[in-house]
mmCIF file with all atom_site columns, all heavy atoms in Angstrom:
data_model
loop_
_atom_site.group_PDB
_atom_site.id
_atom_site.type_symbol
_atom_site.label_atom_id
_atom_site.label_alt_id
_atom_site.label_comp_id
_atom_site.label_asym_id
_atom_site.label_entity_id
_atom_site.label_seq_id
_atom_site.pdbx_PDB_ins_code
_atom_site.Cartn_x
_atom_site.Cartn_y
_atom_site.Cartn_z
_atom_site.occupancy
_atom_site.B_iso_or_equiv
_atom_site.pdbx_formal_charge
_atom_site.auth_seq_id
_atom_site.auth_comp_id
_atom_site.auth_asym_id
_atom_site.auth_atom_id
_atom_site.pdbx_PDB_model_num
ATOM 1   N N   . ARG A 1 1  ? 52.141 -46.216 -128.356 1.00 0.00 ? 30 ARG A N   1
ATOM 2   C CA  . ARG A 1 1  ? 52.308 -46.171 -126.909 1.00 0.00 ? 30 ARG A CA  1
ATOM 3   C C   . ARG A 1 1  ? 51.329 -45.173 -126.309 1.00 0.00 ? 30 ARG A C   1
ATOM 4   O O   . ARG A 1 1  ? 50.950 -44.193 -126.956 1.00 0.00 ? 30 ARG A O   1
ATOM 5   C CB  . ARG A 1 1  ? 53.740 -45.772 -126.561 1.00 0.00 ? 30 ARG A CB  1
ATOM 6   C CG  . ARG A 1 1  ? 54.126 -44.381 -127.036 1.00 0.00 ? 30 ARG A CG  1
ATOM 7   C CD  . ARG A 1 1  ? 55.571 -44.074 -126.688 1.00 0.00 ? 30 ARG A CD  1
ATOM 8   N NE  . ARG A 1 1  ? 55.956 -42.759 -127.176 1.00 0.00 ? 30 ARG A NE  1
ATOM 9   C CZ  . ARG A 1 1  ? 57.182 -42.253 -127.028 1.00 0.00 ? 30 ARG A CZ  1
ATOM 10  N NH1 . ARG A 1 1  ? 58.120 -42.959 -126.415 1.00 0.00 ? 30 ARG A NH1 1
ATOM 11  N NH2 . ARG A 1 1  ? 57.455 -41.050 -127.494 1.00 0.00 ? 30 ARG A NH2 1
ATOM 12  N N   . PRO A 1 2  ? 50.895 -45.371 -125.087 1.00 0.00 ? 31 PRO A N   1
ATOM 13  C CA  . PRO A 1 2  ? 49.948 -44.435 -124.471 1.00 0.00 ? 31 PRO A CA  1
ATOM 14  C C   . PRO A 1 2  ? 50.554 -43.043 -124.365 1.00 0.00 ? 31 PRO A C   1
ATOM 15  O O   . PRO A 1 2  ? 51.685 -42.870 -123.915 1.00 0.00 ? 31 PRO A O   1
ATOM 16  C CB  . PRO A 1 2  ? 49.703 -45.043 -123.089 1.00 0.00 ? 31 PRO A CB  1
ATOM 17  C CG  . PRO A 1 2  ? 50.089 -46.472 -123.223 1.00 0.00 ? 31 PRO A CG  1
ATOM 18  C CD  . PRO A 1 2  ? 51.197 -46.510 -124.228 1.00 0.00 ? 31 PRO A CD  1
ATOM 19  N N   . ARG A 1 3  ? 49.807 -42.084 -124.816 1.00 0.00 ? 32 ARG A N   1
ATOM 20  C CA  . ARG A 1 3  ? 50.276 -40.702 -124.759 1.00 0.00 ? 32 ARG A CA  1
ATOM 21  C C   . ARG A 1 3  ? 50.065 -40.134 -123.361 1.00 0.00 ? 32 ARG A C   1
ATOM 22  O O   . ARG A 1 3  ? 49.006 -40.282 -122.761 1.00 0.00 ? 32 ARG A O   1
ATOM 23  C CB  . ARG A 1 3  ? 49.533 -39.846 -125.787 1.00 0.00 ? 32 ARG A CB  1
ATOM 24  C CG  . ARG A 1 3  ? 49.786 -40.298 -127.223 1.00 0.00 ? 32 ARG A CG  1
ATOM 25  C CD  . ARG A 1 3  ? 49.043 -39.413 -128.196 1.00 0.00 ? 32 ARG A CD  1
ATOM 26  N NE  . ARG A 1 3  ? 49.296 -39.809 -129.576 1.00 0.00 ? 32 ARG A NE  1
ATOM 27  C CZ  . ARG A 1 3  ? 48.755 -39.204 -130.631 1.00 0.00 ? 32 ARG A CZ  1
ATOM 28  N NH1 . ARG A 1 3  ? 47.920 -38.177 -130.451 1.00 0.00 ? 32 ARG A NH1 1
ATOM 29  N NH2 . ARG A 1 3  ? 49.039 -39.637 -131.838 1.00 0.00 ? 32 ARG A NH2 1
ATOM 30  N N   . ARG A 1 4  ? 51.109 -39.498 -122.872 1.00 0.00 ? 33 ARG A N   1
ATOM 31  C CA  . ARG A 1 4  ? 51.015 -38.900 -121.547 1.00 0.00 ? 33 ARG A CA  1
ATOM 32  C C   . ARG A 1 4  ? 50.172 -37.635 -121.601 1.00 0.00 ? 33 ARG A C   1
ATOM 33  O O   . ARG A 1 4  ? 50.423 -36.742 -122.402 1.00 0.00 ? 33 ARG A O   1
ATOM 34  C CB  . ARG A 1 4  ? 52.415 -38.564 -121.032 1.00 0.00 ? 33 ARG A CB  1
ATOM 35  C CG  . ARG A 1 4  ? 53.309 -39.787 -120.824 1.00 0.00 ? 33 ARG A CG  1
ATOM 36  C CD  . ARG A 1 4  ? 54.671 -39.359 -120.307 1.00 0.00 ? 33 ARG A CD  1
ATOM 37  N NE  . ARG A 1 4  ? 55.532 -40.522 -120.096 1.00 0.00 ? 33 ARG A NE  1
ATOM 38  C CZ  . ARG A 1 4  ? 56.794 -40.428 -119.698 1.00 0.00 ? 33 ARG A CZ  1
ATOM 39  N NH1 . ARG A 1 4  ? 57.331 -39.215 -119.474 1.00 0.00 ? 33 ARG A NH1 1
ATOM 40  N NH2 . ARG A 1 4  ? 57.515 -41.517 -119.534 1.00 0.00 ? 33 ARG A NH2 1
ATOM 41  N N   . SER A 1 5  ? 49.185 -37.594 -120.772 1.00 0.00 ? 34 SER A N   1
ATOM 42  C CA  . SER A 1 5  ? 48.333 -36.405 -120.720 1.00 0.00 ? 34 SER A CA  1
ATOM 43  C C   . SER A 1 5  ? 48.960 -35.364 -119.816 1.00 0.00 ? 34 SER A C   1
ATOM 44  O O   . SER A 1 5  ? 49.651 -35.687 -118.841 1.00 0.00 ? 34 SER A O   1
ATOM 45  C CB  . SER A 1 5  ? 46.938 -36.782 -120.193 1.00 0.00 ? 34 SER A CB  1
ATOM 46  O OG  . SER A 1 5  ? 47.050 -37.371 -118.911 1.00 0.00 ? 34 SER A OG  1
ATOM 47  N N   . ARG A 1 6  ? 48.756 -34.144 -120.144 1.00 0.00 ? 35 ARG A N   1
ATOM 48  C CA  . ARG A 1 6  ? 49.299 -33.051 -119.346 1.00 0.00 ? 35 ARG A CA  1
ATOM 49  C C   . ARG A 1 6  ? 48.668 -33.036 -117.965 1.00 0.00 ? 35 ARG A C   1
ATOM 50  O O   . ARG A 1 6  ? 47.451 -33.240 -117.825 1.00 0.00 ? 35 ARG A O   1
ATOM 51  C CB  . ARG A 1 6  ? 49.046 -31.713 -120.043 1.00 0.00 ? 35 ARG A CB  1
ATOM 52  C CG  . ARG A 1 6  ? 49.774 -31.591 -121.377 1.00 0.00 ? 35 ARG A CG  1
ATOM 53  C CD  . ARG A 1 6  ? 49.490 -30.233 -121.994 1.00 0.00 ? 35 ARG A CD  1
ATOM 54  N NE  . ARG A 1 6  ? 50.194 -30.084 -123.255 1.00 0.00 ? 35 ARG A NE  1
ATOM 55  C CZ  . ARG A 1 6  ? 50.115 -28.987 -124.020 1.00 0.00 ? 35 ARG A CZ  1
ATOM 56  N NH1 . ARG A 1 6  ? 49.336 -27.959 -123.631 1.00 0.00 ? 35 ARG A NH1 1
ATOM 57  N NH2 . ARG A 1 6  ? 50.784 -28.930 -125.148 1.00 0.00 ? 35 ARG A NH2 1
ATOM 58  N N   . PRO A 1 7  ? 49.461 -32.811 -116.936 1.00 0.00 ? 36 PRO A N   1
ATOM 59  C CA  . PRO A 1 7  ? 48.879 -32.784 -115.582 1.00 0.00 ? 36 PRO A CA  1
ATOM 60  C C   . PRO A 1 7  ? 47.921 -31.609 -115.432 1.00 0.00 ? 36 PRO A C   1
ATOM 61  O O   . PRO A 1 7  ? 48.196 -30.483 -115.849 1.00 0.00 ? 36 PRO A O   1
ATOM 62  C CB  . PRO A 1 7  ? 50.108 -32.619 -114.678 1.00 0.00 ? 36 PRO A CB  1
ATOM 63  C CG  . PRO A 1 7  ? 51.162 -32.038 -115.562 1.00 0.00 ? 36 PRO A CG  1
ATOM 64  C CD  . PRO A 1 7  ? 50.906 -32.571 -116.933 1.00 0.00 ? 36 PRO A CD  1
ATOM 65  N N   . ARG A 1 8  ? 46.802 -31.904 -114.864 1.00 0.00 ? 37 ARG A N   1
ATOM 66  C CA  . ARG A 1 8  ? 45.787 -30.881 -114.666 1.00 0.00 ? 37 ARG A CA  1
ATOM 67  C C   . ARG A 1 8  ? 45.837 -30.387 -113.223 1.00 0.00 ? 37 ARG A C   1
ATOM 68  O O   . ARG A 1 8  ? 45.962 -31.178 -112.295 1.00 0.00 ? 37 ARG A O   1
ATOM 69  C CB  . ARG A 1 8  ? 44.400 -31.443 -114.975 1.00 0.00 ? 37 ARG A CB  1
ATOM 70  C CG  . ARG A 1 8  ? 44.237 -31.889 -116.426 1.00 0.00 ? 37 ARG A CG  1
ATOM 71  C CD  . ARG A 1 8  ? 42.840 -32.438 -116.643 1.00 0.00 ? 37 ARG A CD  1
ATOM 72  N NE  . ARG A 1 8  ? 42.654 -32.850 -118.028 1.00 0.00 ? 37 ARG A NE  1
ATOM 73  C CZ  . ARG A 1 8  ? 41.528 -33.385 -118.482 1.00 0.00 ? 37 ARG A CZ  1
ATOM 74  N NH1 . ARG A 1 8  ? 40.491 -33.564 -117.656 1.00 0.00 ? 37 ARG A NH1 1
ATOM 75  N NH2 . ARG A 1 8  ? 41.434 -33.734 -119.747 1.00 0.00 ? 37 ARG A NH2 1
ATOM 76  N N   . HIS A 1 9  ? 45.726 -29.081 -113.055 1.00 0.00 ? 38 HIS A N   1
ATOM 77  C CA  . HIS A 1 9  ? 45.711 -28.509 -111.714 1.00 0.00 ? 38 HIS A CA  1
ATOM 78  C C   . HIS A 1 9  ? 44.387 -28.848 -111.045 1.00 0.00 ? 38 HIS A C   1
ATOM 79  O O   . HIS A 1 9  ? 43.311 -28.691 -111.651 1.00 0.00 ? 38 HIS A O   1
ATOM 80  C CB  . HIS A 1 9  ? 45.889 -26.992 -111.778 1.00 0.00 ? 38 HIS A CB  1
ATOM 81  C CG  . HIS A 1 9  ? 47.213 -26.608 -112.372 1.00 0.00 ? 38 HIS A CG  1
ATOM 82  N ND1 . HIS A 1 9  ? 48.393 -26.757 -111.690 1.00 0.00 ? 38 HIS A ND1 1
ATOM 83  C CD2 . HIS A 1 9  ? 47.526 -26.095 -113.591 1.00 0.00 ? 38 HIS A CD2 1
ATOM 84  C CE1 . HIS A 1 9  ? 49.397 -26.339 -112.457 1.00 0.00 ? 38 HIS A CE1 1
ATOM 85  N NE2 . HIS A 1 9  ? 48.894 -25.938 -113.610 1.00 0.00 ? 38 HIS A NE2 1
ATOM 86  N N   . PRO A 1 10 ? 44.423 -29.325 -109.832 1.00 0.00 ? 39 PRO A N   1
ATOM 87  C CA  . PRO A 1 10 ? 43.151 -29.681 -109.173 1.00 0.00 ? 39 PRO A CA  1
ATOM 88  C C   . PRO A 1 10 ? 42.279 -28.457 -108.951 1.00 0.00 ? 39 PRO A C   1
ATOM 89  O O   . PRO A 1 10 ? 42.763 -27.355 -108.667 1.00 0.00 ? 39 PRO A O   1
ATOM 90  C CB  . PRO A 1 10 ? 43.619 -30.283 -107.830 1.00 0.00 ? 39 PRO A CB  1
ATOM 91  C CG  . PRO A 1 10 ? 44.997 -29.726 -107.621 1.00 0.00 ? 39 PRO A CG  1
ATOM 92  C CD  . PRO A 1 10 ? 45.593 -29.556 -108.994 1.00 0.00 ? 39 PRO A CD  1
ATOM 93  N N   . ALA A 1 11 ? 41.004 -28.674 -109.145 1.00 0.00 ? 40 ALA A N   1
ATOM 94  C CA  . ALA A 1 11 ? 40.054 -27.566 -108.984 1.00 0.00 ? 40 ALA A CA  1
ATOM 95  C C   . ALA A 1 11 ? 39.976 -27.182 -107.513 1.00 0.00 ? 40 ALA A C   1
ATOM 96  O O   . ALA A 1 11 ? 40.047 -28.042 -106.624 1.00 0.00 ? 40 ALA A O   1
ATOM 97  C CB  . ALA A 1 11 ? 38.675 -27.990 -109.483 1.00 0.00 ? 40 ALA A CB  1
ATOM 98  N N   . PRO A 1 12 ? 39.859 -25.919 -107.225 1.00 0.00 ? 41 PRO A N   1
ATOM 99  C CA  . PRO A 1 12 ? 39.764 -25.484 -105.822 1.00 0.00 ? 41 PRO A CA  1
ATOM 100 C C   . PRO A 1 12 ? 38.480 -25.984 -105.203 1.00 0.00 ? 41 PRO A C   1
ATOM 101 O O   . PRO A 1 12 ? 37.475 -26.207 -105.884 1.00 0.00 ? 41 PRO A O   1
ATOM 102 C CB  . PRO A 1 12 ? 39.772 -23.960 -105.923 1.00 0.00 ? 41 PRO A CB  1
ATOM 103 C CG  . PRO A 1 12 ? 39.311 -23.659 -107.302 1.00 0.00 ? 41 PRO A CG  1
ATOM 104 C CD  . PRO A 1 12 ? 39.793 -24.780 -108.157 1.00 0.00 ? 41 PRO A CD  1
ATOM 105 N N   . PRO A 1 13 ? 38.456 -26.216 -103.912 1.00 0.00 ? 42 PRO A N   1
ATOM 106 C CA  . PRO A 1 13 ? 37.221 -26.668 -103.248 1.00 0.00 ? 42 PRO A CA  1
ATOM 107 C C   . PRO A 1 13 ? 36.094 -25.673 -103.451 1.00 0.00 ? 42 PRO A C   1
ATOM 108 O O   . PRO A 1 13 ? 36.323 -24.476 -103.657 1.00 0.00 ? 42 PRO A O   1
ATOM 109 C CB  . PRO A 1 13 ? 37.624 -26.766 -101.770 1.00 0.00 ? 42 PRO A CB  1
ATOM 110 C CG  . PRO A 1 13 ? 39.113 -26.867 -101.796 1.00 0.00 ? 42 PRO A CG  1
ATOM 111 C CD  . PRO A 1 13 ? 39.577 -26.106 -102.984 1.00 0.00 ? 42 PRO A CD  1
ATOM 112 N N   . GLU A 1 14 ? 34.901 -26.214 -103.398 1.00 0.00 ? 43 GLU A N   1
ATOM 113 C CA  . GLU A 1 14 ? 33.744 -25.360 -103.664 1.00 0.00 ? 43 GLU A CA  1
ATOM 114 C C   . GLU A 1 14 ? 33.611 -24.251 -102.627 1.00 0.00 ? 43 GLU A C   1
ATOM 115 O O   . GLU A 1 14 ? 33.204 -23.138 -102.953 1.00 0.00 ? 43 GLU A O   1
ATOM 116 C CB  . GLU A 1 14 ? 32.484 -26.219 -103.671 1.00 0.00 ? 43 GLU A CB  1
ATOM 117 C CG  . GLU A 1 14 ? 31.221 -25.439 -104.027 1.00 0.00 ? 43 GLU A CG  1
ATOM 118 C CD  . GLU A 1 14 ? 30.011 -26.326 -104.103 1.00 0.00 ? 43 GLU A CD  1
ATOM 119 O OE1 . GLU A 1 14 ? 30.178 -27.557 -103.968 1.00 0.00 ? 43 GLU A OE1 1
ATOM 120 O OE2 . GLU A 1 14 ? 28.906 -25.796 -104.294 1.00 0.00 ? 43 GLU A OE2 1
ATOM 121 N N   . SER A 1 15 ? 33.984 -24.532 -101.380 1.00 0.00 ? 44 SER A N   1
ATOM 122 C CA  . SER A 1 15 ? 33.854 -23.510 -100.341 1.00 0.00 ? 44 SER A CA  1
ATOM 123 C C   . SER A 1 15 ? 34.786 -22.331 -100.605 1.00 0.00 ? 44 SER A C   1
ATOM 124 O O   . SER A 1 15 ? 34.423 -21.177 -100.417 1.00 0.00 ? 44 SER A O   1
ATOM 125 C CB  . SER A 1 15 ? 34.159 -24.116 -98.978  1.00 0.00 ? 44 SER A CB  1
ATOM 126 O OG  . SER A 1 15 ? 35.467 -24.685 -98.973  1.00 0.00 ? 44 SER A OG  1
ATOM 127 N N   . SER A 1 16 ? 36.017 -22.650 -101.119 1.00 0.00 ? 45 SER A N   1
ATOM 128 C CA  . SER A 1 16 ? 36.956 -21.560 -101.386 1.00 0.00 ? 45 SER A CA  1
ATOM 129 C C   . SER A 1 16 ? 36.571 -20.774 -102.617 1.00 0.00 ? 45 SER A C   1
ATOM 130 O O   . SER A 1 16 ? 36.962 -19.622 -102.783 1.00 0.00 ? 45 SER A O   1
ATOM 131 C CB  . SER A 1 16 ? 38.366 -22.129 -101.531 1.00 0.00 ? 45 SER A CB  1
ATOM 132 O OG  . SER A 1 16 ? 38.405 -23.014 -102.651 1.00 0.00 ? 45 SER A OG  1
ATOM 133 N N   . MET A 1 17 ? 35.815 -21.413 -103.544 1.00 0.00 ? 46 MET A N   1
ATOM 134 C CA  . MET A 1 17 ? 35.404 -20.708 -104.756 1.00 0.00 ? 46 MET A CA  1
ATOM 135 C C   . MET A 1 17 ? 34.482 -19.547 -104.418 1.00 0.00 ? 46 MET A C   1
ATOM 136 O O   . MET A 1 17 ? 34.492 -18.512 -105.079 1.00 0.00 ? 46 MET A O   1
ATOM 137 C CB  . MET A 1 17 ? 34.691 -21.677 -105.720 1.00 0.00 ? 46 MET A CB  1
ATOM 138 C CG  . MET A 1 17 ? 35.610 -22.747 -106.301 1.00 0.00 ? 46 MET A CG  1
ATOM 139 S SD  . MET A 1 17 ? 34.689 -23.920 -107.310 1.00 0.00 ? 46 MET A SD  1
ATOM 140 C CE  . MET A 1 17 ? 34.003 -22.832 -108.546 1.00 0.00 ? 46 MET A CE  1
ATOM 141 N N   . PHE A 1 18 ? 33.648 -19.708 -103.399 1.00 0.00 ? 47 PHE A N   1
ATOM 142 C CA  . PHE A 1 18 ? 32.680 -18.672 -103.087 1.00 0.00 ? 47 PHE A CA  1
ATOM 143 C C   . PHE A 1 18 ? 33.064 -17.886 -101.837 1.00 0.00 ? 47 PHE A C   1
ATOM 144 O O   . PHE A 1 18 ? 32.290 -17.067 -101.357 1.00 0.00 ? 47 PHE A O   1
ATOM 145 C CB  . PHE A 1 18 ? 31.290 -19.301 -102.861 1.00 0.00 ? 47 PHE A CB  1
ATOM 146 C CG  . PHE A 1 18 ? 30.772 -20.032 -104.068 1.00 0.00 ? 47 PHE A CG  1
ATOM 147 C CD1 . PHE A 1 18 ? 30.908 -21.405 -104.162 1.00 0.00 ? 47 PHE A CD1 1
ATOM 148 C CD2 . PHE A 1 18 ? 30.167 -19.333 -105.095 1.00 0.00 ? 47 PHE A CD2 1
ATOM 149 C CE1 . PHE A 1 18 ? 30.439 -22.086 -105.257 1.00 0.00 ? 47 PHE A CE1 1
ATOM 150 C CE2 . PHE A 1 18 ? 29.691 -20.013 -106.197 1.00 0.00 ? 47 PHE A CE2 1
ATOM 151 C CZ  . PHE A 1 18 ? 29.828 -21.392 -106.292 1.00 0.00 ? 47 PHE A CZ  1
ATOM 152 N N   . ALA A 1 19 ? 34.262 -18.173 -101.295 1.00 0.00 ? 48 ALA A N   1
ATOM 153 C CA  . ALA A 1 19 ? 34.672 -17.450 -100.081 1.00 0.00 ? 48 ALA A CA  1
ATOM 154 C C   . ALA A 1 19 ? 34.828 -15.966 -100.350 1.00 0.00 ? 48 ALA A C   1
ATOM 155 O O   . ALA A 1 19 ? 34.422 -15.122 -99.551  1.00 0.00 ? 48 ALA A O   1
ATOM 156 C CB  . ALA A 1 19 ? 35.974 -18.048 -99.536  1.00 0.00 ? 48 ALA A CB  1
ATOM 157 N N   . HIS A 1 20 ? 35.409 -15.625 -101.504 1.00 0.00 ? 49 HIS A N   1
ATOM 158 C CA  . HIS A 1 20 ? 35.612 -14.219 -101.829 1.00 0.00 ? 49 HIS A CA  1
ATOM 159 C C   . HIS A 1 20 ? 34.286 -13.496 -101.988 1.00 0.00 ? 49 HIS A C   1
ATOM 160 O O   . HIS A 1 20 ? 34.118 -12.362 -101.520 1.00 0.00 ? 49 HIS A O   1
ATOM 161 C CB  . HIS A 1 20 ? 36.445 -14.110 -103.101 1.00 0.00 ? 49 HIS A CB  1
ATOM 162 C CG  . HIS A 1 20 ? 36.741 -12.692 -103.506 1.00 0.00 ? 49 HIS A CG  1
ATOM 163 N ND1 . HIS A 1 20 ? 37.585 -11.886 -102.773 1.00 0.00 ? 49 HIS A ND1 1
ATOM 164 C CD2 . HIS A 1 20 ? 36.270 -11.948 -104.558 1.00 0.00 ? 49 HIS A CD2 1
ATOM 165 C CE1 . HIS A 1 20 ? 37.654 -10.689 -103.351 1.00 0.00 ? 49 HIS A CE1 1
ATOM 166 N NE2 . HIS A 1 20 ? 36.864 -10.722 -104.436 1.00 0.00 ? 49 HIS A NE2 1
ATOM 167 N N   . ASP A 1 21 ? 33.303 -14.158 -102.592 1.00 0.00 ? 50 ASP A N   1
ATOM 168 C CA  . ASP A 1 21 ? 31.988 -13.528 -102.755 1.00 0.00 ? 50 ASP A CA  1
ATOM 169 C C   . ASP A 1 21 ? 31.304 -13.312 -101.406 1.00 0.00 ? 50 ASP A C   1
ATOM 170 O O   . ASP A 1 21 ? 30.651 -12.298 -101.168 1.00 0.00 ? 50 ASP A O   1
ATOM 171 C CB  . ASP A 1 21 ? 31.100 -14.396 -103.654 1.00 0.00 ? 50 ASP A CB  1
ATOM 172 C CG  . ASP A 1 21 ? 31.669 -14.497 -105.073 1.00 0.00 ? 50 ASP A CG  1
ATOM 173 O OD1 . ASP A 1 21 ? 32.472 -13.605 -105.428 1.00 0.00 ? 50 ASP A OD1 1
ATOM 174 O OD2 . ASP A 1 21 ? 31.317 -15.455 -105.778 1.00 0.00 ? 50 ASP A OD2 1
ATOM 175 N N   . ASP A 1 22 ? 31.455 -14.263 -100.481 1.00 0.00 ? 51 ASP A N   1
ATOM 176 C CA  . ASP A 1 22 ? 30.826 -14.118 -99.189  1.00 0.00 ? 51 ASP A CA  1
ATOM 177 C C   . ASP A 1 22 ? 31.449 -12.950 -98.404  1.00 0.00 ? 51 ASP A C   1
ATOM 178 O O   . ASP A 1 22 ? 30.747 -12.217 -97.712  1.00 0.00 ? 51 ASP A O   1
ATOM 179 C CB  . ASP A 1 22 ? 30.989 -15.401 -98.362  1.00 0.00 ? 51 ASP A CB  1
ATOM 180 C CG  . ASP A 1 22 ? 30.214 -16.565 -98.994  1.00 0.00 ? 51 ASP A CG  1
ATOM 181 O OD1 . ASP A 1 22 ? 29.307 -16.272 -99.783  1.00 0.00 ? 51 ASP A OD1 1
ATOM 182 O OD2 . ASP A 1 22 ? 30.543 -17.729 -98.693  1.00 0.00 ? 51 ASP A OD2 1
ATOM 183 N N   . ASP A 1 23 ? 32.763 -12.781 -98.535  1.00 0.00 ? 52 ASP A N   1
ATOM 184 C CA  . ASP A 1 23 ? 33.405 -11.668 -97.865  1.00 0.00 ? 52 ASP A CA  1
ATOM 185 C C   . ASP A 1 23 ? 32.902 -10.333 -98.380  1.00 0.00 ? 52 ASP A C   1
ATOM 186 O O   . ASP A 1 23 ? 32.683 -9.384  -97.628  1.00 0.00 ? 52 ASP A O   1
ATOM 187 C CB  . ASP A 1 23 ? 34.925 -11.737 -98.039  1.00 0.00 ? 52 ASP A CB  1
ATOM 188 C CG  . ASP A 1 23 ? 35.514 -12.942 -97.300  1.00 0.00 ? 52 ASP A CG  1
ATOM 189 O OD1 . ASP A 1 23 ? 34.828 -13.463 -96.402  1.00 0.00 ? 52 ASP A OD1 1
ATOM 190 O OD2 . ASP A 1 23 ? 36.632 -13.368 -97.689  1.00 0.00 ? 52 ASP A OD2 1
ATOM 191 N N   . GLU A 1 24 ? 32.677 -10.243 -99.708  1.00 0.00 ? 53 GLU A N   1
ATOM 192 C CA  . GLU A 1 24 ? 32.173 -9.003  -100.279 1.00 0.00 ? 53 GLU A CA  1
ATOM 193 C C   . GLU A 1 24 ? 30.763 -8.712  -99.779  1.00 0.00 ? 53 GLU A C   1
ATOM 194 O O   . GLU A 1 24 ? 30.414 -7.568  -99.503  1.00 0.00 ? 53 GLU A O   1
ATOM 195 C CB  . GLU A 1 24 ? 32.189 -9.088  -101.817 1.00 0.00 ? 53 GLU A CB  1
ATOM 196 C CG  . GLU A 1 24 ? 33.608 -9.061  -102.407 1.00 0.00 ? 53 GLU A CG  1
ATOM 197 C CD  . GLU A 1 24 ? 33.554 -9.037  -103.910 1.00 0.00 ? 53 GLU A CD  1
ATOM 198 O OE1 . GLU A 1 24 ? 32.438 -9.161  -104.464 1.00 0.00 ? 53 GLU A OE1 1
ATOM 199 O OE2 . GLU A 1 24 ? 34.604 -8.854  -104.540 1.00 0.00 ? 53 GLU A OE2 1
ATOM 200 N N   . VAL A 1 25 ? 29.954 -9.760  -99.645  1.00 0.00 ? 54 VAL A N   1
ATOM 201 C CA  . VAL A 1 25 ? 28.579 -9.548  -99.172  1.00 0.00 ? 54 VAL A CA  1
ATOM 202 C C   . VAL A 1 25 ? 28.585 -9.063  -97.721  1.00 0.00 ? 54 VAL A C   1
ATOM 203 O O   . VAL A 1 25 ? 27.809 -8.167  -97.331  1.00 0.00 ? 54 VAL A O   1
ATOM 204 C CB  . VAL A 1 25 ? 27.763 -10.852 -99.321  1.00 0.00 ? 54 VAL A CB  1
ATOM 205 C CG1 . VAL A 1 25 ? 26.410 -10.702 -98.644  1.00 0.00 ? 54 VAL A CG1 1
ATOM 206 C CG2 . VAL A 1 25 ? 27.602 -11.186 -100.797 1.00 0.00 ? 54 VAL A CG2 1
ATOM 207 N N   . ARG A 1 26 ? 29.455 -9.627  -96.867  1.00 0.00 ? 55 ARG A N   1
ATOM 208 C CA  . ARG A 1 26 ? 29.484 -9.207  -95.486  1.00 0.00 ? 55 ARG A CA  1
ATOM 209 C C   . ARG A 1 26 ? 30.029 -7.802  -95.332  1.00 0.00 ? 55 ARG A C   1
ATOM 210 O O   . ARG A 1 26 ? 29.655 -7.069  -94.398  1.00 0.00 ? 55 ARG A O   1
ATOM 211 C CB  . ARG A 1 26 ? 30.369 -10.191 -94.688  1.00 0.00 ? 55 ARG A CB  1
ATOM 212 C CG  . ARG A 1 26 ? 29.675 -11.528 -94.407  1.00 0.00 ? 55 ARG A CG  1
ATOM 213 C CD  . ARG A 1 26 ? 30.455 -12.298 -93.341  1.00 0.00 ? 55 ARG A CD  1
ATOM 214 N NE  . ARG A 1 26 ? 31.801 -12.612 -93.792  1.00 0.00 ? 55 ARG A NE  1
ATOM 215 C CZ  . ARG A 1 26 ? 32.141 -13.754 -94.391  1.00 0.00 ? 55 ARG A CZ  1
ATOM 216 N NH1 . ARG A 1 26 ? 31.211 -14.650 -94.602  1.00 0.00 ? 55 ARG A NH1 1
ATOM 217 N NH2 . ARG A 1 26 ? 33.392 -13.969 -94.742  1.00 0.00 ? 55 ARG A NH2 1
ATOM 218 N N   . ASN A 1 27 ? 30.898 -7.355  -96.225  1.00 0.00 ? 56 ASN A N   1
ATOM 219 C CA  . ASN A 1 27 ? 31.474 -6.019  -96.127  1.00 0.00 ? 56 ASN A CA  1
ATOM 220 C C   . ASN A 1 27 ? 30.542 -4.939  -96.613  1.00 0.00 ? 56 ASN A C   1
ATOM 221 O O   . ASN A 1 27 ? 30.805 -3.750  -96.402  1.00 0.00 ? 56 ASN A O   1
ATOM 222 C CB  . ASN A 1 27 ? 32.796 -5.923  -96.868  1.00 0.00 ? 56 ASN A CB  1
ATOM 223 C CG  . ASN A 1 27 ? 33.860 -6.825  -96.231  1.00 0.00 ? 56 ASN A CG  1
ATOM 224 O OD1 . ASN A 1 27 ? 33.812 -7.040  -95.008  1.00 0.00 ? 56 ASN A OD1 1
ATOM 225 N ND2 . ASN A 1 27 ? 34.812 -7.278  -97.042  1.00 0.00 ? 56 ASN A ND2 1
ATOM 226 N N   . ARG A 1 28 ? 29.495 -5.309  -97.292  1.00 0.00 ? 57 ARG A N   1
ATOM 227 C CA  . ARG A 1 28 ? 28.560 -4.298  -97.803  1.00 0.00 ? 57 ARG A CA  1
ATOM 228 C C   . ARG A 1 28 ? 27.665 -3.782  -96.691  1.00 0.00 ? 57 ARG A C   1
ATOM 229 O O   . ARG A 1 28 ? 27.284 -4.502  -95.815  1.00 0.00 ? 57 ARG A O   1
ATOM 230 C CB  . ARG A 1 28 ? 27.709 -4.869  -98.949  1.00 0.00 ? 57 ARG A CB  1
ATOM 231 C CG  . ARG A 1 28 ? 28.523 -5.117  -100.228 1.00 0.00 ? 57 ARG A CG  1
ATOM 232 C CD  . ARG A 1 28 ? 27.626 -5.705  -101.314 1.00 0.00 ? 57 ARG A CD  1
ATOM 233 N NE  . ARG A 1 28 ? 28.396 -5.961  -102.516 1.00 0.00 ? 57 ARG A NE  1
ATOM 234 C CZ  . ARG A 1 28 ? 27.888 -6.516  -103.619 1.00 0.00 ? 57 ARG A CZ  1
ATOM 235 N NH1 . ARG A 1 28 ? 26.600 -6.861  -103.630 1.00 0.00 ? 57 ARG A NH1 1
ATOM 236 N NH2 . ARG A 1 28 ? 28.647 -6.702  -104.654 1.00 0.00 ? 57 ARG A NH2 1
#
């Protein structure tokens, strides 16, 4: 029988991935 694969958490959007880095650059 088909094996159920574990649910994968969706990857965060690319904009949110670098949002923290952009905030650090603006605070410098």
Side-chain angles (χ1 to χ4, degrees):
R30 63 182 178 181
R32 297 181 179 179
R33 296 180 180 177
S34 58
R35 296 181 179 179
R37 298 180 179 179
H38 298 287
E43 184 177 355
S44 57
S45 63
M46 293 175 60
F47 299 98
H49 181 69
D50 296 339
D51 294 340
D52 293 341
E53 290 184 354
V54 172
R55 284 194 298 267
N56 295 329
R57 290 179 181 178

